[in-house]
Every structure is written in structure tokens, then in C-alpha cells.
Amino acid sequence: MTHEPPQTTAQDTSPAPAPPGQQATPVVAAESALATDPAPLPPPTAPAPQEPGATYGRAHAARMYDYFLGGKDNYPADWEAAERVLEVLPTARTIARTNRAFLHRAVEYLTRTAGVTQFLDIGTGIPTEPNLHQVAQGAAPEARVVYVDNDPIVLAHAHALLRSTPQGRTSYLHGDLRDPAAIVASQEVRETLDLTRPVALTLISVLHFLPPGHDPYAIVRELLRPLPAGSYLALSYATTDFAPARMARAAEVYRQSGVALRQGTRADAERFFDGLDLVEPGVAPIHRWRPDPGAGARVPDADVSMYGAVARKP
């Protein structure tokens, strides 16, 4: 089993302290009967020396996600943007943690039930244990994983993604989701994965950050095209179905911080799986997708506002 922190509701806890040098900002209840989000997290420590090519003067979605998860690889611009998101979306930390838990359950299903031992993970983000390969190799030590991200900070920490079991293998590709053909044709993918055998393509909380002008459905189709029958797609995608006002305000904060954030309906999420065979329960709020016993039902859908699913390529 994975070691994801227990999911908590917005009513259970108090807000985290502001980053160093900032005044604490009162949490605003954006919609009815919403309090604060999970347990307070310590302020980030000073980040590591700057990595070449990284942009530190503006917020970055992966570093904001790291902040919401309580990580340390984020910077003042990320802290400020994340705190502004928390003002209008107090459950942002619940969303991040629930999304990680969904990833872990999806990987558990893919390895233990579907028998998949090859993974192509795009939009990996800053390493957060347990990472995908740790979950997969815990079930199948021979599992192979290719991680893909375009953030220089992720590249700087890629060594944490390469600690494979002796039986398996991991590799890291500094690549861009907007160029799917280059990802599939890369040496890392071709040498690590056997594309004659099923591969699980994982796109967890990344498609909704594609900039305008890029078609996420076309990108997913291009990534799936070279994968053989029996491969799987697992993804999560932000939605406005449950808390439209809160999510719209959060998207505006992201936009003002220089980060695009798409949000869609259930039908929009279902389009990603056209032509694929959905695994039960189909497209569902991520905390309700095959939840661990006793989990999921405690958390209101509006506190998560993200759909997820896993489907098989026939």
C-alpha cells in the first residue's frame, strides 16, 4: 500500500502559516459552509541554488503544487501565488494531496490488477515520495518508468527519480508535453520501454496547465498512437462542476500569476478517453475512484473539484 497522508476535509483543520516575510492572510470562504484546509505546514526553507534555465521571478504550476504538498522546492513568487490561491480556494492543499493519492491508487491498480509494468509519466513534477516508480516497483520490482517534465528544477532533482530496484529501471527525459512526437521518439523512451508491450501513460494534473493554443485531446491521441493494444491511460483533470465560483476565482489567480489553468466539465474529461475502455467506476471525482476502504466519502466533491479515470486501449 502507499503512504499518502490521510485525506481530510476542509472543516478539520486550520490554515498553514504564511511563508517567511509575509503576513498571514485570512482565509475567505469562497462558497457556502467552507472553512480552512488541512493541517498547517511549516514555512518553506531556503531553496537550493538556482538551476540554469529556471524562472524564479514568476510562479510555476509545479512549484506551487510542491508548496501545497508541503515541499521545499519553491520560491517567493510561488509562495505568493499559492497563498493567493488559498484565499479563494482554501482546499487547494486537499486537492493536491488527493491528487497524489489518486496517482498512487491508479498505479496500484495498473500493476497489481492490470499487470502493467511499464509507465510513461508526463508532467512528473518535483519528486515527492513515494514517487510513481516506488509504488509500481513495490508491486512489481521489474517495473520500468520514464519520467518526463520540462521544469529545470525537476531536472535538477531527477536523481531522486532514478533510484530503481535492481530488477527494474527508471529514466528521466527533459521534454515538453507540447511536443508529444519528440517524447515518444526520444532515446529515453525507446531504450527504457518496450513499445511492443503494454505501457501505462500517466498524465496526472498536467493537461489543464497547457497554455492556450494547444489541443490537449490531440496531444493525448498522439501520445497513445504508438502504444500497443493493452496499454492504459490514467489522468486527472480540473473541473468547474462542483464549485464553479471558487474554481473560476482560482483560475483567475493562476492567470494573473502567469499560469494558464483550464477547467472543464465531466463531458470534457470523458473526451480524453474516447475509443478506450474505461475501468470501473469510469470518470469520477478523483477521491471516489476506487478509494481505499473508509476513504473518499468523507471529502465533499466541491473540496476536490478534479476528475480522474483509467482506461485501456483495445
Side-chain angles (χ1 to χ4, degrees), residues 58-62 64 78 81 208-212 250-262:
R58 57 185 173 86
H60 189 285
M64 291 172 67
D78 309 307
H208 46 244
F209 289 118
L210 275 170
E252 177 60 18
V253 172
Y254 272 98
R255 187 194 66 78
Q256 292 172 0
S257 302
V259 179
L261 175 59
R262 305 164 182 250

Side-chain angles (χ1 to χ4, degrees), residues 43-66:
T45 57
Q50 297 189 358
E51 293 80 14
T55 53
Y56 299 93
R58 57 185 173 86
H60 189 285
R63 298 195 302 263
M64 291 172 67
Y65 186 66
D66 180 69

Side-chain angles (χ1 to χ4, degrees), residues 68-269:
F68 291 138
L69 288 172
K72 299 178 181 179
D73 294 294
N74 42 73
Y75 294 80
D78 309 307
W79 307 340
E80 293 162 9
E83 286 295 327
R84 288 175 58 213
V85 170
L86 285 165
E87 291 179 29
V88 299
L89 186 64
T91 59
R93 289 192 176 94
T94 291
I95 295 172
R97 292 173 179 178
T98 306
N99 188 63
R100 288 293 298 180
F102 167 73
L103 167 65
H104 296 164
R105 294 195 310 277
V107 172
E108 288 273 357
Y109 169 84
L110 289 164
T111 50
R112 296 187 186 277
T113 303
V116 176
T117 59
Q118 301 191 110
F119 292 82
L120 176 56
D121 182 60
I122 302 177
T124 296
I126 295 165
T128 303
E129 291 197 1
N131 293 295
L132 187 154
H133 73 279
Q134 293 169 310
V135 178
Q137 292 178 347
E142 73 277 16
R144 294 182 165 220
V145 179
V146 176
Y147 291 108
V148 183
D149 206 289
N150 67 343
D151 186 345
I153 290 184
V154 182
L155 174 62
H157 291 278
H159 65 277
L161 303 172
L162 302 177
R163 297 171 184 165
S164 174
T165 60
Q167 305 96 312
R169 183 174 176 184
T170 64
S171 63
Y172 178 79
L173 169 64
H174 191 65
D176 197 317
L177 177 61
R178 294 169 293 184
D179 191 358
I183 291 174
V184 175
S186 69
Q187 180 178 352
E188 289 81 359
V189 167
R190 298 291 173 170
E191 291 186 353
T192 306
L193 306 179
D194 177 357
L195 296 185
T196 68
R197 296 173 48 241
V199 174
L201 170 65
T202 55
L203 294 157
I204 306 299
S205 192
V206 62
L207 291 166
H208 46 244
F209 289 118
L210 275 170
H214 298 276
D215 181 351
Y217 302 103
I219 287 172
V220 171
R221 288 194 299 270
E222 189 165 354
L223 289 167
L224 283 172
R225 189 175 299 118
L227 304 185
S231 292
Y232 283 80
L233 169 65
L235 65 79
S236 59
Y237 194 70
T239 182
T240 54
D241 280 355
F242 307 114
R246 280 208 307 274
M247 293 300 287
R249 286 193 283 269
E252 177 60 18
V253 172
Y254 272 98
R255 187 194 66 78
Q256 292 172 0
S257 302
V259 179
L261 175 59
R262 305 164 182 250
Q263 301 173 64
T265 63
R266 181 188 180 109
D268 294 326

